[in-house]
Amino acid sequence: MKNNKIIAVWGNPDSGKTTFSIKMANELIKKNKSVILVMADSYVPAIHTVLPFTETKDQSLGALLSSIQISQESILKKCIPVPNTKNLSILSYLHGENIRTYADYGKERVLDFFILLKHLADHIIVDCSSQFHHDLLSRGALELSDQVIRLISPDLKAISFYDASLPLLGEKKYNVANHIKVLSDVKSEMPKDSVGNRFGGIQKELDHCEELQRQMLEARLFEPLTDKKSEGYNTQLQNLMDALFFSEEVYENKEKNPLKKNLRKIGFFKKEVMHK
């Protein structure tokens, strides 16, 4: 398995970004890998929707990013351990916080943050905000990550979202052509073929799963899917994990990839400092 990967999960609203990020993290810790899950959305802080009874002790991602300086130690202090799991923790904005709760931070801070994170866990998963153009952390993750998984709902609203949003990722540094496109929450009656053709093909699919829906509503996403009817989803998830972490196919064009480490740093600093 490749080590020290940053995986950005991005998609249209309600495409299942947080749900998928958690399930991917669960699969990685099964392999005895350490994972830090970064929930980047400051518009809808996710921690209390997935761990509503967990004490956060002022462990806010926003406070970390807006602090005078950050270090590996300060990051670890803000990490929220997931109960009953091993080697999995979360960085998130907290319940009631918003984009005005903390001072703005610059692109240098985002770069420092991701560099430090890579030394703290085997894998970093970034649950990005759909509205990345208003969120510097999500935008940085889309540029600096080793791989972007783009979740797409198989409906017309997703097409409308991407027609409006993808032009904002037109610069070469975002390497949109290298995104792994995944149709998410697919039901039999949905026009998945039409939507897939609209996006130039889809690499993977994740079917609708009733047990997954129940887990989300009951804040139990860190539990395994055990219903027999969930076997299809589990198989699809494992196939995607194999492609991301076990297959060389994703990285076969690495030398031509503008997300290579040095080029990432240069491209990230060439743009003017942006705010959340």
Side-chain angles (χ1 to χ4, degrees):
M1 183 180 287
K2 302 287 184 179
N3 289 323
N4 300 102
K5 291 295 177 186
I6 299 178
I7 305 294
V9 179
W10 176 60
N12 59 278
D14 300 321
S15 59
K17 298 179 294 297
T18 299
T19 297
F20 173 73
S21 296
I22 291 173
K23 291 305 181 185
M24 181 163 59
N26 285 347
E27 291 299 311
L28 287 170
I29 62 173
K30 287 180 184 178
K31 305 293 185 181
N32 294 318
K33 298 297 177 179
S34 58
V35 180
I36 296 177
L37 172 57
V38 181
M39 294 180 166
D41 195 343
S42 61
Y43 287 84
V44 185
I47 186 66
H48 285 168
T49 68
V50 297
L51 293 174
F53 305 112
T54 298
E55 175 59 54
T56 55
K57 300 179 182 178
D58 299 321
Q59 294 165 292
S60 173
L61 174 60
L64 174 68
L65 292 171
S66 61
S67 59
I68 296 175
Q69 62 181 7
I70 61 173
S71 63
Q72 291 182 353
E73 182 180 3
S74 64
I75 291 174
L76 289 172
K77 286 182 178 179
K78 297 298 184 183
C79 285
I80 303 167
V82 176
N84 304 316
T85 64
K86 184 180 180 181
N87 297 330
L88 175 58
S89 58
I90 295 175
L91 288 167
S92 174
Y93 288 86
L94 303 183
H95 182 72
E97 294 181 345
N98 57 55
I99 60 173
R100 299 302 179 193
T101 303
Y102 300 101
D104 290 338
Y105 54 88
K107 298 180 75 173
E108 293 88 350
R109 174 53 51 84
V110 174
L111 180 60
D112 289 344
F113 176 66
F114 283 122
I115 290 174
L116 291 169
L117 275 179
K118 265 205 165 185
H119 294 284
L120 293 176
D122 293 321
H123 298 292
I124 309 301
I125 299 173
V126 186
D127 176 17
C128 296
S129 169
S130 295
Q131 308 303 327
F132 65 92
H133 46 287
H134 294 308
D135 179 16
L136 182 59
L137 183 60
S138 292
R139 191 160 64 250
L142 290 173
E143 180 181 345
L144 299 173
S145 62
D146 296 285
Q147 185 65 60
V148 176
I149 300 176
R150 189 199 310 172
L151 297 184
I152 303 168
S153 300
D155 54 44
L156 295 178
K157 290 185 70 174
I159 292 176
S160 180
F161 171 82
Y162 283 111
D163 282 348
S165 298
L166 285 177
L168 300 174
L169 296 175
E171 296 177 75
K172 188 178 180 181
K173 63 182 180 179
Y174 291 112
N175 199 24
V176 170
N178 197 46
H179 289 186
I180 295 179
K181 292 174 285 186
V182 179
L183 277 185
S184 179
D185 197 26
V186 179
K187 299 178 182 178
S188 58
E189 68 271 18
M190 289 178 164
K192 66 176 186 178
D193 292 335
S194 298
V195 174
N197 291 335
R198 180 67 177 77
F199 290 104
I202 297 294
Q203 284 91 351
K204 300 290 180 180
E205 293 183 14
L206 293 170
D207 288 342
H208 175 75
C209 177
E210 292 291 340
E211 184 183 9
L212 188 64
Q213 185 74 15
R214 291 196 303 272
Q215 285 188 348
M216 182 185 68
L217 294 174
E218 298 169 3
R220 295 188 297 108
L221 286 171
F222 291 97
E223 298 178 12
L225 295 169
T226 58
D227 285 359
K228 187 174 180 61
K229 293 181 179 179
S230 302
E231 290 178 357
Y233 179 91
N234 282 330
T235 298
Q236 291 172 324
L237 176 62
Q238 191 57 58
N239 288 340
L240 181 51
M241 296 295 294
D242 289 344
L244 276 170
F245 298 104
F246 294 101
S247 172
E248 293 294 327
E249 181 179 338
V250 173
Y251 306 99
E252 64 183 358
N253 295 319
K254 187 175 182 180
E255 288 304 313
K256 299 180 180 179
N257 189 344
L259 293 182
K260 211 164 48 169
K261 183 177 180 181
N262 291 336
L263 293 181
R264 286 204 305 264
K265 291 183 181 179
I266 294 171
F268 199 58
F269 278 112
K270 281 176 66 177
K271 305 301 288 182
E272 70 277 9
V273 173
M274 294 176 285
H275 301 284
K276 290 193 299 179

